[in-house]
Amino acid sequence: MSTKQTVAAGTIHVINASSRVDTGITDELARTLRAFGDHGRIGIRCITLENGPNGIVNACDSDRAAPPILDYISREASSEDALGFVVACFSNPGVFAAREITSKPVVGIGEAGIAVATAFGEQIGLLAMSSKGGPGDWRAVRTMGLAPRVCGRVHIEVDYGRLHDEAYVGQCLGEGAIRLRDQYGANVVVLAGAGLGRYAQTLKESTGLIIIDPVFAAFAAVLSNLILSDVSRF
């Protein structure tokens, strides 16, 4: 008798919490998660939150993103097809409230990225696009009880509208990762934002560091939860 397990049929929703469309983030989320599409029975729906804020760079933007995220999850969670949700914003807007709306897994990429990083290194560095999200990132780290493990946060001040300039963004991220390694002693780095997955392997090769893409980490967490919560379905 075969013991091969397959993922239950359905869809995991990946939510780009910003309504900004010039960044290509939603397309990048789909590209990053394409590796999980080989299961066949599972669908991945990456969406841009049309009524979200036009970019999320600070706590005000994050708070504004929470209501439309909750509306979306509340609406979609009632479908049997919906297996779970990834909130693709490093500040995890609406994640805690969404877990009160549905029993289906809801994972924010900030929480997931930092949590996974603890399994790969003692000194965690956060590599972010903007300085404005710093207070929120540190607040999240303290809430998780992991402040002693996070040795530093470096931002590169690149507008998300320049994500299409792969050479420029890659250079800036590389310089930031080296700073985290050499000045802060990081041995694992979390990319503190969505849509940066394409740079992870290059950064790993150029710096010798373990690089965590939080989107990949969050999606893997949802998938693992589905497998562990009901193995009889597989």
Side-chain angles (χ1 to χ4, degrees), residues 50-99:
E50 294 181 355
N51 54 343
N54 186 34
I56 301 175
V57 296
N58 54 35
C60 184
D61 296 331
S62 182
D63 287 349
R64 287 174 176 165
I69 288 172
L70 294 173
D71 288 344
Y72 179 87
I73 293 176
S74 179
R75 182 174 66 251
E76 297 295 333
S78 61
S79 168
E80 291 185 4
D81 178 72
L83 298 177
F85 302 88
V86 170
V87 177
C89 179
F90 203 75
S91 58
N92 309 301
V95 167
F96 300 109
R99 290 170 181 160

Side-chain angles (χ1 to χ4, degrees), residues 33 36 86 107-109 112-114 116-117 212-222:
L33 297 174
F36 287 101
V86 170
V107 179
I109 66 170
I114 295 169
V116 167
I212 304 296
D213 173 17
V215 175
F216 207 89
F219 190 91
V222 172

